[in-house]
């Protein structure tokens, strides 16, 4: 998220759970029976845990990949921040799970890493949401998004909202109505849907933005801290 105007889509737990159900059905229909799920941290954790439940798997592993961007390095290099436990996937059929593929690099790096370092059996991939712009082609996809948007998942609602609030605040105080208006105009966050998806949470978002040093109170409203 770099620019100051882009489309955001706020999702709910129910909606995300339905996508998990769709992915699980696809895996079952395909006949694939993975032994272990490797969930990419952090976005793959909720889907990974739910897919374990839906597919009847005990083994859930985590893999955290970080991207280096800009300053110290040129371009983007994968960096395995927290690898898979050495014997967790050896000889096993693996399902790598993430929330969304944007460029698709995370997913393909994860697969390469597991195949090169851990001698697994079959390795397949699943994502809840797939942006058509992605170069990857995951094995199982909950939903294809034909238009790019930043998806606000329920598990990082506060994190994303604090980030967005930080972008709309400035030197002129904004009251809550002003903050909501800016969120609508710049990030297409519809106020009505917001209250359906995450009822009564704007106060909490602003308080958390203050606690995290992003926002401060002043002039009868909110300012950039
Ligand atoms: P990819 O390698 O698939 O492009 P990125 O490296 O761009 O993924 O992003 C890594 C993580 O950032 C994703 O797993 C997801 O959690 C989050 N992310 C990326 N794009 C989006 C998006 N459009 N909306 C919400 N989260 C995203």
């Amino acid at each position: 998220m770099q620019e100051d105007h882009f489309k955001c889509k706020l999702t709910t737990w129910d909606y995300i759970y339905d996508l998990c159900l769709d992915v699980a059905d696809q895996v079952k229909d395909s006949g694939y029976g993975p032994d272990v799920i490797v969930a990419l941290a952090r976005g793959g954790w909720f889907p990974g845990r739910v897919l374990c439940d839906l597919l009847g798997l005990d083994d859930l592993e985590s893999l955290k990949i970080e991207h280096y961007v800009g300053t110290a390095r040129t371009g983007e290099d994968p960096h395995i921040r927290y690898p898979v436990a050495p014997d967790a996937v050896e000889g096993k059929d693996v399902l790598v799970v993430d929330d969304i593929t944007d460029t698709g690099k995370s997913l393909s790096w994860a697969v390469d890493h597991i195949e090169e370092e851990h001698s697994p059996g079959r390795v397949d991939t699943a994502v809840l949401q797939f942006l058509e712009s992605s170069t990857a082609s995951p094995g199982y996809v909950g939903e294809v998004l034909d238009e790019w948007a930043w998806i606000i998942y329920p598990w990082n609602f506060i994190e994303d909202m604090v980030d967005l609030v930080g972008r709309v605040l400035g030197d002129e105080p904004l009251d809550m109505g002003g903050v909501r208006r800016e969120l609508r105009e710049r990030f297409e966050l519809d106020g009505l849907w917001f209250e359906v998806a995450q009822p009564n949470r704007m106060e909490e978002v602003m308080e958390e933005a203050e606690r995290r040093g992003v926002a401060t109170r002043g002039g009868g409203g909110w300012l950039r801290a």
Side-chain angles (χ1 to χ4, degrees):
M1 288 203 286
Q2 294 295 328
E3 310 87 16
D4 279 341
H5 283 76
F6 50 86
K7 185 181 172 92
C8 289
K9 266 182 152 177
L10 186 57
T11 57
T12 64
W13 288 111
D14 282 353
Y15 188 77
I16 293 298
Y17 194 78
D18 278 347
L19 292 178
C20 291
L21 288 167
D22 286 347
V23 170
D25 283 345
Q26 286 175 34
V27 175
K28 286 186 271 188
D29 289 349
S30 77
Y32 184 40
D35 303 304
V36 55
I37 282 179
V38 173
L40 301 195
R42 297 173 293 167
W45 279 20
F46 175 85
R49 177 62 187 93
V50 172
L51 285 170
C52 277
D53 181 41
L54 298 174
L55 297 173
L57 300 179
D58 278 339
D59 288 342
L60 175 60
E61 282 297 316
S62 175
L63 173 61
K64 182 158 194 192
I65 295 176
E66 284 174 353
H67 300 199
Y68 292 119
V69 185
T71 57
R73 291 167 182 253
T74 51
E76 293 187 27
D77 294 329
H79 167 70
I80 306 293
R81 183 80 175 87
Y82 297 117
V84 176
D87 59 351
V89 297
E90 203 175 304
K92 294 184 183 161
D93 290 339
V94 179
L95 186 63
V96 180
V97 174
D98 205 356
D99 48 2
I100 185 166
T101 48
D102 195 337
T103 65
K105 283 181 185 165
S106 302
L107 215 52
S108 51
W109 285 334
V111 171
D112 288 351
H113 169 73
I114 291 167
E115 285 181 336
E116 284 163 20
E117 306 287 330
H118 293 287
S119 315
R122 174 173 163 184
V123 181
D124 216 334
T125 54
V127 294
L128 298 187
Q129 294 180 307
F130 175 78
L131 287 160
E132 255 183 354
S133 51
S134 170
T135 52
S137 36
Y140 309 97
V141 173
E143 175 184 39
V144 177
L145 303 172
D146 50 18
E147 182 191 12
W148 191 92
W150 183 264
I151 311 298
I152 303 175
Y153 292 107
W155 52 79
N156 55 223
F157 171 72
I158 296 288
E159 186 176 302
D160 281 352
M161 288 310 300
V162 166
D163 178 78
L164 295 176
V165 161
R167 292 162 191 261
V168 305
L169 294 180
D171 298 336
E172 293 296 318
L174 283 179
D175 62 13
M176 198 60 105
V179 171
R180 286 180 187 278
R181 187 191 60 241
E182 290 292 321
L183 290 174
R184 188 175 60 245
E185 287 177 1
R186 287 161 64 170
F187 304 114
E188 299 183 39
L189 279 175
D190 172 66
L192 213 57
W193 169 242
F194 193 96
E195 283 310 311
V196 173
Q198 297 283 349
N200 303 317
R201 297 202 67 194
M202 268 315 284
E203 285 292 343
E204 179 192 346
V205 166
M206 297 312 294
E207 278 167 22
E208 197 50 29
E210 187 178 25
R211 195 181 72 87
R212 297 185 191 189
V214 171
T216 186
R217 292 169 207 259
W222 292 95
L223 303 155
R224 185 89 171 92

